[in-house]
Amino acid sequence: MKYIKNLFLITVLSLSFFVISCEEDDNNNVVVIPNIDVAIQSPTDDAQSIGFNPTFAWTASGDNVEAFKYDFYIGTEENKLGLRAENIKELQYKITNKTVLKGITYYWKVVAKDGIYEKESDVWSFTTSPALSEPVLIGPIGFGRDPLNFEWEPLSAATDEALTYKVYFGKENPPTELIGTVEGTGSYTYDGPDLDEFETYYWSVEVSDLLNTSMSEVGTFQKLLGGYPDLPSIVAPLDKALLFERDGDVVLDWTDSTDPEGDTVTYDIYLDTANPPVNIVTSFSGDSEYNVTSNLVVNTSYYWYIVAKDGSGNSYSTETFNFDYLGSSGPATPMLSEEVVDGTMSLDESIVWGKTIGAATYDVYIDEMNPPVNQVASDVTGEGYVVQPKDIPSDITIAVPKTYYARIVAKNVDGEAESSVISFTPQLTGVYTDVRGSESIDYNWVRLGPQVWMADNLRTKKLRNGDDLTKVVQPTSDDYPITSSTTELFYDEHPVDNGPISGHPTFTSPWSDGSNGRVYSSRTPREPLIAPEGWHVINDSDISTLRSNFSSASDLLDEWYGGTDSYGANFVIAGYRYNDFNPGGWPAGFRYAVEEGRVAFWLNGSGSNDVLELYPNGNYRLFNQGNEHNRMFGIRLVKD
């Protein structure tokens, strides 16, 4: 088909027809129109999995072919092709800026031109490579041995392109360490440090082409020694299982173990009433299960494990598991440990009992009455219970400490059995040593009703992880170093002795040795690492419990305030420091007049700057300090 492109062409053609007619009339000759032909070569029509920067090629023939130029059209609809490039001199065109998309069918054609005439090719189509699928991991999966070779199923690459694979490896899931990059293959041989035996490792493969990436699932394996059989693991019965005679045969089941060199694997079955078991009941190769019923006696506890070994003596074994084999009856009678019978229960003491045949769980009872009926824990699965402060609320003012009674009840699906009752008295006071890096500080503690409190104010200079807190520089003017924009955690010390001040104490003792604690900025009580493990900065709930058990604050205040300190709480102020400097009455920012009249502690409460105050008249008061860092107070801790 011929196309007339503009008025000039129309004029030229009109003249040509006129000349032809004249030449045909006068000389009987015909002027021949130049021959133009173009044919597409590649990509072939309906080609699949074409890459994202394909090269298009065609052929052309005709008169004066060396003068031809070409226009390239492409689009996603056969009848709506857009001009992508024009006046191309070569017989090919390459897309280099990645404008084609994955998994899309495109249509294209070429138009050849000689400056006057033109000829277009047929319209052909091709489909680009689809989105990359996830690489499928082959191995190592489950177990890995040296030499370690990572394998996966390689994906099909687009025409004239290659896929790149990155292998990630490590002890974390998902792995993040890139250990190798390969192109167009499905394997990578690990050439790194020796791996730890029995350690679990993770690996994954990322595949990419010019436009896309895709990540495999995470594979995992345990590192084993070369030549050793697979590490077996127990499937059933699970550890500490209760098995009943009425339920039929007891079959031990474990995972199959194969040998990397193809050797026959033999299983040794250890079963015994002793732990660890020493009795081999049988050895065989083949199925990884064994009916052990004929070896069992009812109402007996058994321990067992499996050893998998090859012909060379290389072997791996499972963990030791336990099960109780029972008749149709409840558990045996649990026996409480003699260590706590009629003893003293110290801080974090446990009630312990030995293994009870047939027990699935235990209930724990602690009470002031005998036998105890107050249940403090239910469905305990271990063989001990840590007594909580709330379980044994105590009053230090009582001349003879309270006696508590405890018992446990063992349970299974057939019934229950209870232990004998033991008695104990709680330890009312003690010493806790708080170690933080190079710092080691002893704090007194005391039972206050259902809680355990530190009987000393916090005086640490460090966080629990050993990091130092920042020391506030003693101010010498109104230019105070703590502001609302400060991000550090501060502490400060009460002056040892500022000399006599009219109407106020000199604070030479107990502040002189730091035993009354230090004061801290408002951010410190909110720092998670300010308290040692198992303790916390006092909070709203602690204050509510304190007030419900001790109605008058004066009973908790030190004698220095005129309080009785009846319960050994030793509530004394660590300091009441303001953010300004007044040598006439507030040396170094410490306000002595206020310190004489109240005790203030930071709360890690519902408000970001909450403070608890206790007064000699017996009152408790909570208030919000307001501007952050405006004042510094002491900190008290409570047992979790």
Side-chain angles (χ1 to χ4, degrees), residues 84-230:
R84 174 62 183 269
E86 59 183 340
N87 297 324
I88 303 169
K89 295 181 179 180
E90 294 79 16
L91 294 174
Q92 65 177 21
Y93 175 72
K94 185 178 181 67
I95 293 181
T96 58
N97 59 355
K98 304 177 184 177
T99 57
V100 296
L101 303 177
K102 58 187 178 181
I104 300 295
T105 297
Y106 289 90
Y107 299 89
W108 66 290
K109 69 178 181 179
V110 175
V111 175
K113 308 178 298 184
D114 69 354
I116 299 178
Y117 302 98
E118 61 184 36
K119 177 71 175 292
E120 70 177 35
S121 70
D122 293 333
V123 176
W124 280 14
S125 68
F126 67 91
T127 302
T128 54
S129 180
L132 293 172
S133 58
E134 296 180 357
V136 177
L137 304 183
I138 297 176
I141 300 293
F143 303 105
R145 303 170 179 83
D146 295 326
L148 201 60
N149 188 49
F150 297 102
E151 293 185 87
W152 58 93
E153 294 180 5
L155 303 177
S156 297
T159 303
D160 299 326
E161 293 186 9
L163 298 179
T164 299
Y165 298 92
K166 294 181 178 180
V167 181
Y168 293 88
F169 180 64
K171 293 183 179 181
E172 300 298 326
N173 185 13
T176 58
E177 180 185 358
L178 176 63
I179 62 170
T181 301
V182 294
E183 187 173 287
T185 184
S187 66
Y188 174 76
T189 300
Y190 176 76
D191 184 20
D194 292 339
L195 304 183
D196 298 327
E197 186 182 15
F198 302 127
E199 184 69 53
T200 297
Y201 293 92
Y202 300 90
W203 67 288
S204 60
V205 174
E206 179 187 73
V207 60
S208 61
D209 56 22
L210 292 176
L211 289 183
N212 308 282
T213 62
S214 180
M215 181 67 75
S216 72
E217 294 183 344
V218 175
T220 182
F221 64 88
Q222 273 186 291
K223 174 63 168 58
L224 302 181
L225 295 177
Y228 276 59
D230 291 345

Side-chain angles (χ1 to χ4, degrees), residues 236-255:
L238 298 178
D239 195 27
K240 303 186 186 306
L242 299 182
L243 306 180
F244 295 88
E245 183 181 28
R246 63 171 180 263
D247 293 332
D249 290 343
V250 175
V251 177
L252 307 183
D253 188 14
W254 59 95
T255 57

Side-chain angles (χ1 to χ4, degrees), residues 61-76:
S61 62
D63 300 326
N64 198 21
V65 68
E66 63 275 3
F68 288 0
K69 294 182 180 180
Y70 308 95
D71 294 344
F72 176 79
Y73 291 80
I74 191 169
T76 57

